[in-house]
Amino acid sequence: MQIVVTGAGGRLGLRACEELTAAGHDVLGMDLTATPGRHVVADLRDPAACVRHFAGADAVVHTGGVLSCNGESDEAVYVQNLAMAFHVFSAAAACGVRKVLYASSIQVLGWGGADPGTVWGFRPDYLPLDDRLPRRPASLYALNKAAAEDLLEHFSRAAGFEAVSLRFPRLLDGANVQWLDDLKRERNCWIVMRYPSAARLIRCCLESRLPGY
């Protein structure tokens, strides 16, 4: 399978490239800077770049985006990330891509709010979680992810490609033992996933039949 991974220089994107390449897929990484393996340096804010590099791809994994920890304003992060999602999903539709995966967040369900007596503001209506749980984004970051999910659903239905929004919890490096210990003390371990597991989840979704969005 020919797969394009956006944000290939990020922690999730890099591991997704490694996992997919090891499984025998033809992977092209896209990022603002050079990344390991087969890659192109491209800006997702340029719609023509997305169309150019998605041509001939079977699948796209969208992990790219602007981080809010680098001094950008909330407005800049929100607008740029939503524009990038639009460019990626619309280019996938235009290029006949058959499957699109989007790295969303558990925060669209309400995690990350400020309600007292909850696990970081999140008290689910029921467990285990599934995609029937109503979205209650409690931050601009979560609202941005929810808006991008809606864009993906729209283009999936309009173009007829398979798609999934993976609502990742906090992703953890295997070597970060202190972080894991802190989470245990906070009784928060149920919202943790290690990067290798997230990469395997991406591969399994790409290699499985997905009914629509």
Side-chain angles (χ1 to χ4, degrees):
M1 188 183 300
Q2 294 185 340
I3 304 168
V4 179
V5 178
T6 70
R11 286 175 290 184
L12 177 58
L14 179 61
R15 286 166 175 82
C17 288
E18 293 172 343
E19 175 75 20
L20 294 169
T21 300
H25 297 291
D26 182 5
V27 180
L28 176 67
M30 288 181 64
D31 203 279
L32 284 173
T33 58
T35 60
R38 180 169 169 257
H39 70 269
V40 291
V41 176
D43 192 336
L44 298 177
R45 291 168 291 194
D46 176 9
C50 294
V51 173
R52 183 166 60 252
H53 297 300
F54 290 1
D58 300 304
V60 171
V61 179
H62 181 40
T63 73
V66 179
L67 297 176
S68 59
C69 58
N70 294 330
E72 294 87 351
S73 68
D74 288 339
E75 179 183 4
V77 172
Y78 188 96
V79 171
Q80 291 183 61
N81 282 338
L82 201 56
M84 283 187 275
F86 182 90
H87 296 160
V88 169
F89 303 153
S90 61
C95 293
V97 172
R98 293 184 291 133
K99 187 171 293 188
V100 178
L101 267 60
Y102 171 54
S104 187
S105 170
I106 194 177
Q107 293 196 38
V108 302
L109 300 180
W111 177 85
D115 295 335
T118 62
V119 179
W120 282 13
F122 185 46
R123 181 186 289 113
D125 297 339
Y126 57 83
L127 291 172
L129 301 178
D130 57 33
D131 58 4
R132 295 174 301 166
L133 190 70
R135 298 183 305 181
R136 300 186 182 96
S139 66
L140 281 173
Y141 173 83
L143 192 63
N144 187 252
K145 290 291 189 181
E149 288 186 1
D150 291 340
L151 276 176
L152 180 56
E153 182 176 15
H154 165 77
F155 282 108
S156 171
R157 290 181 175 177
F161 60 70
E162 299 175 14
V164 60
S165 296
L166 294 171
R167 292 171 176 167
F168 287 112
R170 174 178 283 187
L171 296 177
L172 185 70
D173 278 311
N176 200 333
V177 177
Q178 182 59 49
W179 196 357
L180 186 58
D181 289 342
D182 291 342
L183 288 168
K184 287 179 179 178
R185 284 193 292 273
E186 296 171 8
R187 301 174 66 192
N188 262 346
C189 285
W190 66 281
I191 61 164
V192 171
M193 177 182 280
R194 296 185 185 275
Y195 280 104
S197 297
R200 285 195 297 273
L201 176 60
I202 289 172
R203 177 177 58 80
C204 288
C205 286
L206 288 173
E207 295 175 347
S208 301
R209 176 68 180 171
L210 303 172
Y213 175 76

